Amino acid sequence: MATGGSLSSGGAPAVAVFCGSRSGARRLYLQAARETGRLLAARGVTVVYGGATVGLMGALADACLAAGGRVVGVIPRLLVDLELAHSGVTELHVVETMAERKALMAGLAQGFLALPGAYGTLDEAFEMVTWRQLGLHAGPLVFANVGGYFDGLKAFLDRAEEDGLLSRENRRLAAFEPGVEGAVERLLELIAG
């Protein structure tokens, strides 16, 4: 399906970041999105994200751009029509469907980072880890467990492994780190191999 190709200069990878289109009720999430954008920019990593100007997605993109980073948005036409597209990103790809969005993001990135979000964030993250499990790409996935946001998800995956519904090897395909800095570092280490 998608093997991924680096968009960034100097051999640094491109990372797809999945996060909420809302800012959430806890300021911690907005701070985490901004910190992620700054950290990735400082490392010369291209941010690939959902292309919106709202919520955690917009905060991520704005912080990366303000720090001199490169941001590539991938957004379905439906959301462009609702005037949610970020007009200030380095590149904006408009696609027809959500499935095309995920496929293009997977093709542009070497790894995946999940910040707090809801249905869309989990859909994107789980599709990427499922594709990796099936050998459709090699990109690692790390959840930035900001404020314990993904504790329940981690417990669910641990339970799936304990109950024999998920192999130990495949359980390791979804990594969790307690904060943004640790998640970024771990992801870049996993990408480097």
Side-chain angles (χ1 to χ4, degrees):
M1 188 163 273
T3 56
S6 180
L7 288 170
S8 52
S9 59
V15 167
V17 181
F18 306 125
C19 58
S21 60
R22 298 180 62 157
S23 296
R26 297 181 66 193
R27 186 151 181 80
L28 179 65
Y29 303 146
L30 201 55
Q31 293 168 340
R34 290 176 178 143
E35 182 182 357
T36 300
R38 288 190 295 267
L39 285 170
L40 293 172
R43 287 165 176 76
V45 175
T46 294
V47 169
V48 178
Y49 87 117
T53 190
V54 295
L56 300 182
M57 291 171 43
L60 166 79
D62 289 343
C64 185
L65 291 166
R70 191 162 188 274
V71 178
V72 176
V74 182
I75 191 166
R77 187 171 310 284
L78 167 70
L79 298 180
V80 173
D81 293 343
L82 294 173
E83 299 181 356
L84 297 176
H86 197 306
S87 61
V89 295
T90 312
E91 290 179 27
L92 184 67
H93 299 270
V94 178
V95 296
E96 295 305 318
T97 68
M98 295 296 281
E100 288 177 40
R101 176 198 235 178
K102 288 182 282 189
L104 182 54
M105 290 176 77
L108 295 174
Q110 288 75 51
F112 308 96
L113 181 66
L115 298 175
Y119 293 137
T121 300
L122 291 180
D123 171 58
E124 292 165 333
F126 275 119
E127 187 142 2
M128 294 306 106
V129 78
T130 300
W131 289 359
R132 184 168 184 207
Q133 179 179 299
L134 296 172
L136 299 175
H137 70 73
L141 169 69
V142 176
F143 287 90
N145 195 18
V146 177
Y149 184 79
F150 290 114
D151 283 351
L153 180 62
K154 184 177 183 298
F156 163 74
L157 293 174
D158 291 343
R159 172 72 185 266
E161 180 187 346
E162 289 169 17
D163 287 357
L165 297 169
L166 181 63
S167 71
R168 178 173 294 201
E169 177 185 356
N170 286 334
R171 169 60 188 87
R172 289 191 204 125
L173 297 179
F176 292 80
E177 287 292 330
V180 168
E181 189 168 358
V184 167
E185 290 301 325
R186 177 117 180 245
L187 181 59
L188 295 179
E189 288 170 9
L190 289 169
I191 290 170

